[in-house]
Each structure stands twice: as C-alpha cells, then as structure tokens.
Amino acid sequence: MSTPKRFPASLKPTVAAPQRELLMPQRHLHQATRDAARLARPSGTGLDGGAVRQRMVARLRAEGKFDERVLAAMATVPRHEFVDSALAAQAYEDTALPIGHGQTISKPSVVAHMLGLLMGGEGARQRGSLGRVLEIGTGCGYQAAVIALLARQLTSIERLQGLHEKAQLNLQRVPLPRAPRLIWGDGRAGHSASGPFDSIIAAAGGEDIPRAWMDQLAPGGRLVAPTAATGRGQVLVVLDHVVDKGVSHWVRSEHEAVLFVPLKSGVV
C-alpha cells in the first residue's frame, strides 16, 4: 500500500473499525444551550456530596465498554465545578454544555471513550498510567483534571485566552495529586519543551495529524485525535509510534465517526 501523503513517516495499513453511531462530543453550541434550558434546574443538593457523580459513572459502567481506571478518575472529579453554576444540575447528564467563547464541554461518555483508547496503548498498559501527556484544547479544564489522575505529568494547551484563564480558575478549585501545566498557545505546534510525550490527546479535529505531534510522541506512545478520513468525514484516529529494529513507524487505526470543532492555528 502506498503511504498517504499527509504522513511524512511510514505507516502500516489503516485498520478501519466497524461503522458506529456518530459521536458528537461537543455538538453545535445552540443545541447544547437548548438542552441545558430544557433540563431540570439545580436543586442545591447532592452535587458536592458526589452521589449524582457516582450515578453518572454507574450509567457509563453499565454500558460495559469503558476502562475502569478512567471511570474511577471520573468518579473523583466534580464535573459541576467546570460549568456555569446555572448549568450545575446538568453537569452529570451525558450531554455537551456551553462553557463560553463559543465552545462546549465534551460529553462524559466521549471523554471516557477517548481516554480509554489512550489507556489501551502498549506503553500505557505496561506502565499502568498515561505517563507524560500532552492535551490539545484545555477547554474548561475538566478533561485535564481527569487526565491528571491517570498521568505522571500533564501539559495542556489552549489557544483561546479566555478559556485558558477559565481553566486555571476551575482547576484551582479541584484538589489533584499533580497540577497540570497549562499553556496559552498554538496547539498545532504541540509543546516540544515538555516532550516527548507518552500520550497525546486532542479536542479539535483537522485534516491531518500535525507533524509536530508525531515528532513529540515518544516511542511506544499513542495519540488519539479527531481527524478527517477519506469518505468518512471526521473520525477518531489512533496513532501508535512503533519502533521495530531501530526504525520508527506509525500505525494508524480509525474508529467512530465524530464531530469536533476545527483544529486551528494561532492564539486568540
């Protein structure tokens, strides 16, 4: 098979997963806002105690397809701390919610799925953790908080200054064993000063995997990102950095169809 032009390094053949329901982790902002408006208003009880959060995790666990270590981390992180107080009662529904700046927080099931894919990498299986992680798109900071419980070190980049500052404030309210390093910068460039990374995850989708991410992915590492796929629109792509007899190559597999916001360069 000829090597796709967008990957300058050699790739093994693509492995396509069966067609599944389109995952819309962020969806259109107006839809998320409409859902928030129609759901029940905050009752003022149960959120801080964690019972509602545990029920969210129990619903995910009942599906039988998510990594238990990821679910345990999600059971610890108070998602309601990362959304506006008016939307707190909806924080533990499996839905996207607006977080300002034209963005939304991803659905809990999509966070669980993408982190489960990362945990399934060979290096993560051997370590029992995600190791050193690069997150592209900090957003409100919720996924960063979950990753921080699964990783040895986390660097998270956000191009929108308003969201970067919001994530800083949100994460200060949540006790974590290791504080993430938050960067206001261009996610397409990665962050070579903190690399190489054992795991890379992106919350925005482009036409290809940026070469900078591949260069910063350590041998044995795994990358998960929404990416355009020929004839399939945007899908979740898993890229493994494999070294065989001293030669690096990248093994790509395609998974569910998704709909994430576009991956953009620069800072705002």
Side-chain angles (χ1 to χ4, degrees):
M1 172 180 288
S2 60
T3 303
K5 292 182 179 179
R6 65 186 178 192
F7 290 98
S10 62
L11 295 177
K12 286 189 175 180
T14 294
V15 179
Q19 291 282 352
R20 299 178 184 174
E21 179 184 358
L22 175 67
L23 296 180
M24 299 183 68
Q26 296 163 314
R27 296 187 301 167
H28 298 296
L29 183 62
H30 72 274
Q31 181 64 46
T33 303
R34 202 159 53 232
D35 283 353
R38 69 175 173 77
L39 293 171
R41 305 306 297 168
S43 65
T45 60
L47 294 176
D48 293 331
V52 180
R53 184 165 69 251
Q54 298 304 321
R55 286 197 291 273
M56 176 194 77
V57 172
R59 290 193 299 269
L60 294 174
R61 182 176 289 117
E63 295 186 34
K65 60 182 181 182
F66 300 116
D67 188 290
E68 185 58 38
R69 294 162 295 185
V70 174
L71 294 180
M74 294 178 70
T76 300
V77 177
R79 191 170 184 253
H80 67 278
E81 293 285 4
F82 295 87
V83 301
D84 292 341
S85 58
L87 304 178
Q90 291 84 62
Y92 299 105
E93 299 291 336
D94 193 24
T95 186
L97 293 170
I99 56 174
H101 304 275
Q103 305 295 309
T104 60
I105 184 174
S106 294
K107 296 169 60 174
S109 60
V110 174
V111 172
H113 180 52
M114 293 182 70
L115 293 182
L117 288 174
L118 271 189
M119 290 295 292
E122 181 178 355
R125 291 199 306 270
Q126 293 176 354
R127 286 186 305 272
S129 80
L130 295 178
R132 184 176 291 180
V133 182
L134 173 64
E135 180 188 34
I136 310 298
T138 312
C140 62
Y142 171 71
Q143 183 171 263
V146 177
I147 293 173
L149 298 174
L150 300 167
R152 178 167 58 88
Q153 178 181 312
L154 169 62
T155 300
S156 184
I157 303 178
E158 175 57 55
R159 68 182 295 268
L160 300 176
Q161 186 177 16
L163 278 183
H164 166 71
E165 294 171 351
K166 177 178 282 191
Q168 287 180 315
L169 294 174
N170 289 341
L171 287 164
Q172 287 173 4
R173 294 197 296 268
V174 179
L176 295 170
R178 290 165 294 277
R181 181 180 184 185
L182 303 185
I183 306 292
W184 176 41
D186 185 352
R188 281 191 64 91
H191 198 259
S192 58
S194 301
F197 300 99
D198 302 303
S199 306
I200 298 178
I201 185 168
E207 292 299 314
D208 58 7
I209 303 290
R211 177 70 212 200
W213 300 358
M214 296 172 66
D215 289 342
Q216 294 170 33
L217 186 63
R222 170 169 281 196
L223 181 156
V224 177
T227 309
T230 303
R232 296 188 61 195
Q234 192 183 76
V235 300
L236 280 181
V237 167
V238 172
L239 200 65
D240 290 298
H241 183 179
V242 178
V243 178
D244 185 14
K245 298 179 180 178
V247 178
S248 286
H249 57 273
W250 284 259
V251 180
R252 170 184 168 125
S253 59
E254 296 180 357
H255 298 259
E256 288 86 352
V258 291
L259 185 59
F260 277 78
V261 295
L263 177 66
K264 296 181 179 180
S265 297
V267 295
V268 180

